[in-house]
Amino acid sequence: MKTFSTSLLLFLQSLYLSAQGSAHVLHVSGQVEYYSQHGAKPVLLSPGMELDMKGKVRCKASSSAKLLSNGKTILVSGSKMRDLQDLAGAKGGESNSGFTNRFLNFVEESVKEGDSDEKLKEHHRQYMNKASGGVKGYASQAYAIRPLLISTGKMPAAPVTFQWRGAQGEGPYTFSIAEPGGSALLQVPVNDTMLTLDLSQVALLPDEEYEWSVTRGSAAKSPAATIMLAPSVVDATKNNTTHQANYKTASPDEQQLMLAYAYEEAGCYQNAYQIYSALHSAQPDNLLLRRVYAAFLARMDMLGEAVKVK
Amino acid sequence: MWRKLVYPHSLIVTCLVFLLIGVLNFVRINAHFLNPFKETIRDYEVTDIVYSKLRDHRIILDNNVVLVNTGKPDRDTIRMVVDRLIDAGAKVVALDVLLEGRKNAHTDSLLRAALTRIEKVVLATELDAYSDEDGKFKMQVGCDTFFGNYVYTGFINFISKDSNSTIRYFSPREMTTDGECLSLPVQAAKLYDPQATERLFERDKKLEEIYYTGNGDQFIQYESKDILSPAIDLKKQIQDKIVLVGFLGTYAWDKPMLDRHYTPLNERYTGRNTPDMYGMVIHANIIQMILNGTYVTELSGFAQFLLTFLFCYLNIHLFYEIFRRVSTPFHFVTRFLQLGEIIILFFIVAWMFRSFRVKLDVAYWIASLALAFDVIKFYDNVIRKRISHLGKIPYQFTPPPRKPQAIKKQEEKPEPEKAAKQEPQLPQDSKK
């Protein structure tokens, strides 16, 4: 009996472990990082790789990947660190009923579709949001305040300037930092459309995402902008760049430009901004630096500032 | 035994139903006003619902075929990709890219050198200029002889009435003026596994129905930049596999329309939707089908006829029996039965296809079911009354002589009411 129960336990455990399973990379677009465990060195995904489901993935910029786990595809996108098991779990919620159930569901849906026209006429407003021909603009009217791109992404543990486009109205802005979907960790009333905070002094966890937003009065608000305190990424980017042979042979200005570009590529916009800004301040008449700085500002959706610099 | 099974009037009505179906089939209506409807449903088969709605969406990764998306490549890129694939140990490299004409002597020479590095490379061609006289294609286009003369070629034509038709079938081989030519997937499969391809040829079918296993997610998909990246170790995934190189959009939001076709896997199985599958993925599905031997089986014409006849006969007999037992709600019960049977038929068709890849054509079954009720009425109320000989035919043939005990029992004088119940009666019109 004891042997039987032990075998059963082992069998169930093996079943559980096999259910945890692995995921195969079907396709990768851009650069997607895989962390086999917390603190592990990231590995870039390539098609055909087999991943342990205990790991995490994160996409760089607009990269994405398609994985296959337990017979289902998982699409990974976004710069947020994602747990593979969570992603697979979200997919697992979808129904995977047998053939007979699928057949009965199909017949039931077919019957329901029979009166869909009548339903459409009766409740047409419910369907209006499913078919809209509008082309989306750059900013939603729902948000009167717009955070600037340079105040998002990976941040250094140093003074950082948060900037936003203001809204008409009276009274101060309220700047907040919060956990995604959580309550505010920090709130500061601000008179201007920018605020400089020393992030090394704020109790933010490294490599975790936070959201900042701004409100003014009861009506004007901004969408949540995502930041991550990532001094390790900043340092790694700097190290990678400064160790390149081209960097070593370049002039000091070129070195700074190379570093700024590498920061931008890595999503460390604030660091890139600081370098471009410093270069421009030091040599305001240098046409090349002006143009490069203006191009950066334009990429950061700061066209007004870019035109002035140019 | 046969006397118990054969009901003469049911048999006659069955023949009448078949006659009517034949006439309706012969006199096809081609009214212009029906065109929109016709256009919507003409390219539809019941099994499309199985693919579209009832199939198991669980994806099983294929271990034989790998896809490489080259986009719209230049020949230098193709050459580098082919080189890398050969270095990684690909068993067969099939290019779903037309190398039409000669571009640059240097580039073309290098590409040919790369293509001829291994024996098992297949290039795509297109068959053209079919001649009805000898049943041969006069031209193979799309692949310059500078390349095509040194490697295997395979045609990439799909069988489709027009660009909006669903791709269901493929032709394994065709005759050209230069001899027999295999299709690209068949040629690739033949180079990979000759025995599996021999099984395809043994079936000796001019057309094979494609058994689709998925929309491409069952295959590992590389971008050409992945192949060219020295940081990626390709050996593990590429070695000893068939690599299809061609045009492929990967994500739903960024799928260009080039070389995209309708397949039965389309989410919307009737009407028009956007094409759902790239040509290269269709080729990959064909290769997978050949290697796994998962062919679709269709019943022969005779078997179809026999089954349809049997189905029709049993239904007509059932309707007669219902009428004999419950004549008042006959209409209601019969119509309800027809509806129920159609759903059950659909289930059987779907289940047979899904479980055994057997394709049943139940169009005539449904037609016979729909006509049965009215033909019975017409036969009973008009034909039987006008043709006196039919009135003399019993509802059921007289059973053979029974055992002596049974005869003795029959000899006993039965009560008049009981006797009336025992004697089979022909159905009467319910209005009577």
Side-chain angles (χ1 to χ4, degrees), chain A residues 161-229:
Chain A
T161 303
F162 293 90
Q163 295 183 57
W164 57 91
R165 298 274 186 244
Q168 286 186 344
E170 290 186 357
Y173 294 97
T174 305
F175 174 89
S176 317
I177 295 181
E179 287 179 346
S183 55
L185 300 170
L186 176 147
Q187 278 195 330
V188 185
V190 189
N191 287 324
D192 202 355
T193 56
M194 63 169 70
L195 168 70
T196 303
L197 276 180
D198 187 350
L199 292 185
S200 64
Q201 303 297 313
V202 184
L204 300 180
L205 293 171
D207 297 328
E208 290 292 332
E209 287 189 337
Y210 295 91
E211 290 174 343
W212 68 268
S213 57
V214 179
T215 56
R216 188 178 209 181
S218 56
K221 61 177 181 178
S222 76
T226 306
I227 56 165
M228 181 193 284
L229 187 63

Side-chain angles (χ1 to χ4, degrees), chain B residues 66 71 106 114 124 145 247 261 299 409:
Chain B
V66 170
H106 178 69
T145 50
F247 186 80
H261 306 271
L299 293 184
K409 271 190 182 176

Side-chain angles (χ1 to χ4, degrees), chain A residues 24-30 46-48 64-66 68 70-71 73 75 96 99 102-103 106, chain B residues 49 54-59 61 217 220-223 232 237 250-251 269 346-347 350-351 354:
Chain A
H24 284 90
V25 182
L26 286 179
H27 182 262
V28 181
S29 169
S46 65
S64 59
K66 198 187 269 184
L68 179 66
N70 208 16
T73 53
L75 201 62
N96 187 31
F99 175 74
R102 288 200 294 274
F103 178 82
F106 174 74
Chain B
I49 298 175
L54 304 179
R55 78 190 156 102
D56 190 350
H57 286 270
R58 187 170 289 272
I59 299 162
L61 195 66
D217 285 345
I220 300 282
Q221 298 165 14
Y222 283 91
E223 294 291 319
I232 297 175
Q237 294 305 322
T250 315
Y251 292 106
Y269 53 87
F346 173 43
F347 179 84
W351 182 73
R354 177 249 180 198

Side-chain angles (χ1 to χ4, degrees), chain B residues 183-254:
Chain B
S183 74
L184 181 95
V186 174
Q187 184 69 73
K190 190 183 174 189
L191 292 172
Y192 186 76
D193 186 348
Q195 287 177 332
T197 318
E198 200 50 45
R199 285 196 289 274
L200 167 76
F201 294 146
E202 279 167 10
R203 288 166 62 84
D204 198 26
K205 292 178 85 171
K206 283 183 182 172
L207 287 186
E208 279 287 352
E209 177 152 357
I210 304 168
Y211 181 67
Y212 290 96
T213 50
N215 58 6
D217 285 345
Q218 74 270 45
F219 305 109
I220 300 282
Q221 298 165 14
Y222 283 91
E223 294 291 319
S224 51
K225 67 176 175 52
D226 297 329
I227 297 292
L228 299 177
S229 167
I232 297 175
D233 179 21
L234 295 174
K235 274 209 166 171
K236 197 180 167 192
Q237 294 305 322
I238 301 291
Q239 195 161 31
D240 293 331
K241 290 188 179 171
I242 299 178
V243 184
L244 280 174
V245 181
F247 186 80
L248 189 72
T250 315
Y251 292 106
W253 62 80
D254 185 29

Side-chain angles (χ1 to χ4, degrees), chain A residues 32-308:
Chain A
V32 183
E33 292 173 336
Y34 171 70
Y35 299 79
S36 56
Q37 54 186 309
H38 187 71
K41 202 178 170 189
V43 179
L44 283 179
L45 292 190
S46 65
M49 277 175 72
E50 194 171 351
L51 311 176
D52 192 328
M53 292 299 284
K54 288 173 189 164
K56 294 183 177 189
V57 283
R58 179 159 59 192
C59 303
K60 284 188 173 179
S62 58
S63 304
S64 59
K66 198 187 269 184
L67 313 177
L68 179 66
S69 167
N70 208 16
K72 291 190 173 108
T73 53
I74 305 168
L75 201 62
V76 187
S77 61
S79 60
K80 196 176 174 184
M81 183 87 85
R82 308 292 296 271
D83 203 320
L84 272 180
Q85 276 176 342
D86 288 348
L87 288 167
K91 266 275 181 180
E94 291 174 9
S95 68
N96 187 31
S97 51
F99 175 74
T100 313
N101 282 339
R102 288 200 294 274
F103 178 82
L104 292 175
N105 286 340
F106 174 74
V107 173
E108 190 185 333
E109 278 170 22
S110 306
V111 172
K112 278 180 187 168
E113 273 176 20
D115 63 350
S116 61
D117 275 355
E118 285 306 313
K119 204 182 272 181
L120 186 80
K121 286 172 191 166
E122 208 172 317
H123 309 289
H124 70 275
R125 287 185 185 87
Q126 289 177 5
Y127 298 90
M128 283 173 73
N129 58 348
K130 290 183 181 172
S132 154
V135 177
K136 299 279 187 292
Y138 290 103
S140 169
Q141 286 297 314
Y143 299 107
I145 303 170
R146 184 162 57 91
L148 293 185
L149 193 59
I150 53 162
S151 307
T152 63
K154 296 168 182 117
M155 298 289 184
V160 167
T161 303
F162 293 90
Q163 295 183 57
W164 57 91
R165 298 274 186 244
Q168 286 186 344
E170 290 186 357
Y173 294 97
T174 305
F175 174 89
S176 317
I177 295 181
E179 287 179 346
S183 55
L185 300 170
L186 176 147
Q187 278 195 330
V188 185
V190 189
N191 287 324
D192 202 355
T193 56
M194 63 169 70
L195 168 70
T196 303
L197 276 180
D198 187 350
L199 292 185
S200 64
Q201 303 297 313
V202 184
L204 300 180
L205 293 171
D207 297 328
E208 290 292 332
E209 287 189 337
Y210 295 91
E211 290 174 343
W212 68 268
S213 57
V214 179
T215 56
R216 188 178 209 181
S218 56
K221 61 177 181 178
S222 76
T226 306
I227 56 165
M228 181 193 284
L229 187 63
S232 57
V233 177
V234 175
D235 292 343
T237 309
K238 189 175 181 179
N239 281 339
N240 288 341
T241 312
T242 54
H243 281 88
Q244 285 176 16
N246 291 343
Y247 181 88
K248 287 171 183 167
T249 56
S251 69
D253 285 347
E254 285 172 343
Q255 285 181 335
Q256 289 300 297
L257 285 176
M258 287 169 76
L259 199 55
Y261 186 76
Y263 279 138
E264 191 186 343
E265 280 280 284
C268 308
Y269 306 125
Q270 191 69 209
N271 290 73
Y273 175 63
Q274 286 168 0
I275 292 175
Y276 282 123
S277 178
L279 281 172
H280 176 249
S281 301
Q283 302 175 57
D285 297 329
N286 187 324
L287 187 63
L288 174 69
L289 292 179
R290 263 174 33 210
R291 289 279 164 88
V292 173
Y293 184 35
F296 170 76
L297 291 173
R299 288 198 295 277
M300 293 291 111
D301 200 13
M302 297 165 74
L303 207 58
E305 288 85 343
V307 170
K308 280 181 198 166

Side-chain angles (χ1 to χ4, degrees), chain B residues 92-96 120-124 151-154 184 187-188 191:
Chain B
V92 179
V93 178
L95 260 76
D96 187 16
K120 295 179 177 180
V121 171
V122 189
L123 293 184
V151 291
Y152 290 97
T153 57
L184 181 95
Q187 184 69 73
L191 292 172

